[in-house]
Amino acid sequence: MTLLRWVSTVVIVGAIAGGVYYMMHGQAPDSVSASRRGAGMGGPVAVIAKNTDRADVPIYLEGVGSVKALNTATVRAQVDGRLLSVNFNEGQDVKKGDVLAKIDPVTYQAQLDQAIAKKALDEALLANTKKDLERFQKVGTLAISQQQIDTQLALVKQQEAQIKSDAASIENATAILGYTTIVAPFDGRTGIRLVDEGNLVHSGDAGGIVVMTQVQPISVLFTLPQQQLPMLTKSSAEGKLTAYALSTDGQTELDTGTLKVIDNQVDQQTGTIRLKADFPNEKRQLWPGQFVNVRLLVDTLKGVIVAPTEAVQRGPDGTYVYVVGADNTAEMRPVKISRQDEKFAVIADGLTEGEKVVTSGFGRLKDGATVSVSDGKAPEQSPPALSKKSADGKKAARVGDAANVGVQSAQATAPAAPDAALVTGSTSEDKKNSDKHRHSHRDNGASP
C-alpha cells in the first residue's frame, strides 16, 4: 500500500507540472504566427486631415487698454451754504440741466436784492443830474460859468458809469444765486453720493457732492508697439479703422467702435504709442476703469490660401506640412507662411486650394508613409484591451484548470485504495491511522 501511495503521488505531481508547462509554453501555432505577423508588419498611420481653403483674411493689431468715460466731472458746490436737498438717486441716469442738489439761497437772494436797489438809487440820482445839466445849458455862460457846466456834465457821465457797475453787480449776484441750484453738466450717470442733505458745503470742498461720468458713448485708451506704427498710420490715412473691445480672456466681444485718434508721440520708456477709440456702448458692456483687450482691423488679405495652424510643422529646413495624396500617401512639403494666428496660417507658397493636410497624428508619420485619414470626429468604440492584471488573472486561471485536469487524470489512472492520498504529502494523523490499520491486519494474520 505504501508503494501504491507513492506511485499515485508521483503521477499527480507530474500531471500538474505538465499542465503548467503546457500553458506557459504550448501556444497554438496559429496564435504564434499571428503574433509574429503583428510584430513584424506596421499598418497605416492614423491621422486627422483637413482641406486648405481660399478666403479673405483680416489683419488685426491687438493691444491692452482701459476704458475711460468720454466726460467725467466731480460735481462740487460753488458757494457756501447748507445743502437743502439732494435730487438724484445713486447710479441714476440724468440729462444735462437736471437739478442734482439745492443750497440754501436766502443770503444770495438778499445780495441780489441789494444790488437791484443800489442800481435804482443811482438811476434816480442820474436823472436829477441830467436835469441840472439841461438847465445849466439853457442859461449858458450869462448866469453861470463854463466850469460849472463842465462839472455837471462830468457828474452825469460818472453816474452813468455807476449804473453800469450796478448792472454788473446784479448780474454777479444773479449768477451766485444760480449756483445754489446745482445741475448736471452733461448727460451721464451719477455715482455714489458723497455728502448728505443738511450738511454745510463749501466751494473749496475737495470731495464734492457726486461724481458724474458719461458712459454712452465711451472711450478706450490702449497701446500698440511702435513697430506697428507705419502700418497703423498707412491704414488710418485710407479711412476709419474699426476697433473691437474684447474681454480680458479675448473670448467675448463687448462692443464695436472706431479709432478716434493716434497720439502725437511715442512713449520712449515703453516704446509704445497710445491710441483712443470710441464705442457707442449701447449695451453698457464697457465701464470706466475696466481693463479690456482691443483688436484693431487694419487690413484684409483678399483670396489667399489658408490652412489650419496645427498643420504647420517646423524643422531644421523651415516650415513644412504633410499633404495627403489620392493614394493615401503622406508627402512632406515645404511651405512659406506670410501670416499666422491661433486658428489659420496664410500660405504664401507651397499649397493650393483644396489640398488635404495632416493636422494631427504626427508621432509615427514620415514622408511617403501610408495613412488612414479621419475627419477628427470621435471614432467608434473598440473593445477595450485587457490590462496586464486581467491577462495575468486569466493566465493563472488557465494554469489552475490544467492542474485540475492533471489531478483528475492521476485519479483515473491510480487504483482505488482506502488509504490513497488525493494531494501531495500526508498529515501525521493520516500516518497514525495507516499504522493502526497495518497492525490490525498483522494481528489477523494478513500479510503487509
Side-chain angles (χ1 to χ4, degrees):
M1 295 301 294
T2 303
L3 178 62
L4 180 61
R5 184 183 302 109
W6 182 83
V7 171
S8 300
T9 302
V10 171
V11 171
I12 293 172
V13 172
I16 293 175
V20 172
Y21 180 83
Y22 174 80
M23 294 307 299
M24 295 295 292
H25 301 283
Q27 292 183 358
D30 292 341
S31 62
V32 173
S33 60
S35 63
R36 290 177 179 175
R37 287 196 303 270
M41 297 180 59
V45 181
V47 298
I48 297 175
K50 296 180 181 179
N51 292 335
T52 60
D53 197 6
R54 186 179 297 275
D56 296 340
V57 178
I59 299 177
Y60 297 100
L61 300 180
E62 296 187 357
V64 179
S66 60
V67 181
K68 183 180 182 298
L70 195 65
N71 291 297
T72 302
T74 301
V75 179
R76 295 186 175 92
Q78 293 179 271
V79 294
D80 300 343
R82 183 171 62 89
L83 193 62
L84 289 181
S85 63
V86 175
N87 301 81
F88 66 89
N89 296 322
E90 294 174 323
Q92 177 183 349
D93 292 329
V94 295
K95 299 292 185 181
K96 181 178 180 179
D98 288 351
V99 176
L100 301 179
K102 288 186 177 182
I103 299 173
D104 189 358
V106 174
T107 302
Y108 305 103
Q109 182 65 52
Q111 293 176 359
L112 176 60
D113 295 341
Q114 185 178 2
I116 294 174
K118 181 65 170 57
K119 181 183 178 183
L121 175 61
D122 292 337
E123 287 176 345
L125 292 175
L126 176 61
N128 184 55
T129 303
K130 285 183 176 181
K131 289 181 181 179
D132 289 342
L133 178 60
E134 291 176 359
R135 285 193 291 266
F136 289 165
Q137 290 175 343
K138 286 181 181 179
V139 174
T141 57
L142 297 177
I144 58 174
S145 64
Q146 183 63 39
Q147 183 180 1
Q148 289 178 323
I149 296 175
D150 294 340
T151 302
Q152 192 67 21
L153 182 61
L155 184 58
V156 169
K157 293 182 178 181
Q158 180 181 353
Q159 291 178 350
E160 288 176 347
Q162 183 62 45
I163 291 175
K164 291 182 180 180
S165 177
D166 293 338
S169 298
I170 292 174
E171 292 177 359
N172 182 60
T174 302
I176 293 175
L177 180 62
Y179 293 154
T180 60
T181 301
I182 301 173
V183 298
F186 48 77
D187 296 351
R189 184 183 180 91
T190 60
I192 298 174
R193 186 174 66 248
L194 303 177
V195 65
D196 300 328
E197 61 181 50
N199 288 275
L200 290 176
V201 293
H202 305 277
S203 58
D205 291 343
I209 297 175
V210 70
V211 177
M212 276 193 59
T213 56
Q214 185 175 358
V215 295
Q216 289 180 317
I218 204 167
S219 301
V220 174
L221 296 176
F222 62 102
T223 59
L224 291 175
Q226 63 178 1
Q227 291 82 0
Q228 298 174 345
L229 188 58
M231 178 186 294
L232 185 62
T233 53
K234 178 183 177 182
S235 300
S236 61
E238 297 174 354
K240 291 185 177 181
L241 302 182
T242 303
Y244 302 91
L246 309 176
S247 58
T248 52
D249 59 2
Q251 302 299 320
T252 305
E253 182 178 316
L254 303 177
D255 204 355
T256 304
T258 56
L259 181 66
K260 188 70 174 178
V261 63
I262 303 174
D263 201 1
N264 57 3
Q265 59 183 347
V266 175
D267 189 341
Q268 295 182 352
Q269 294 183 350
T270 61
T272 57
I273 183 75
R274 291 205 313 165
L275 301 97
K276 180 181 179 181
D278 288 346
F279 296 86
N281 200 26
E282 295 178 354
K283 297 181 180 179
R284 296 197 176 183
Q285 297 293 308
L286 301 176
W287 217 247
Q290 176 183 2
F291 287 99
V292 295
N293 292 332
V294 180
R295 182 175 294 168
L296 190 64
L297 178 62
V298 294
D299 196 6
T300 301
L301 301 178
K302 302 290 186 179
V304 294
I305 302 298
V306 295
T309 296
E310 57 268 24
V312 179
Q313 304 295 308
R314 285 171 173 79
D317 299 330
T319 55
Y320 63 93
V321 298
Y322 283 102
V323 181
V324 179
D327 56 351
N328 284 343
T329 301
E331 174 194 355
M332 188 174 69
R333 186 183 301 176
V335 293
K336 292 182 179 179
I337 308 298
S338 63
R339 188 170 294 274
Q340 185 174 351
D341 59 16
E342 65 276 7
K343 293 183 179 180
F344 298 102
V346 178
I347 309 299
D349 187 24
L351 290 175
T352 59
E353 182 182 358
E355 288 191 291
K356 187 174 295 185
V357 293
V358 177
T359 60
S360 180
F362 299 99
R364 296 170 47 215
L365 192 60
K366 61 181 180 180
D367 190 20
T370 302
V371 297
S372 173
V373 181
S374 65
D375 56 1
K377 296 180 180 179
E380 295 182 359
Q381 294 291 338
S382 58
L386 288 176
S387 64
K388 185 176 183 301
K389 187 173 182 180
S390 300
D392 293 343
K394 289 196 172 183
K395 189 173 183 181
R398 290 197 297 269
V399 172
D401 293 341
N404 291 333
V405 170
V407 171
Q408 293 174 1
S409 300
Q411 290 176 357
T413 305
D419 54 350
L422 295 179
V423 294
T424 303
S426 59
T427 62
S428 59
E429 187 65 28
D430 294 334
K431 186 176 182 181
K432 291 179 181 179
N433 294 333
S434 178
D435 292 342
K436 185 183 295 185
H437 182 71
R438 205 164 37 245
H439 286 303
S440 63
H441 273 276
R442 288 178 179 175
D443 295 338
N444 294 328
S447 60

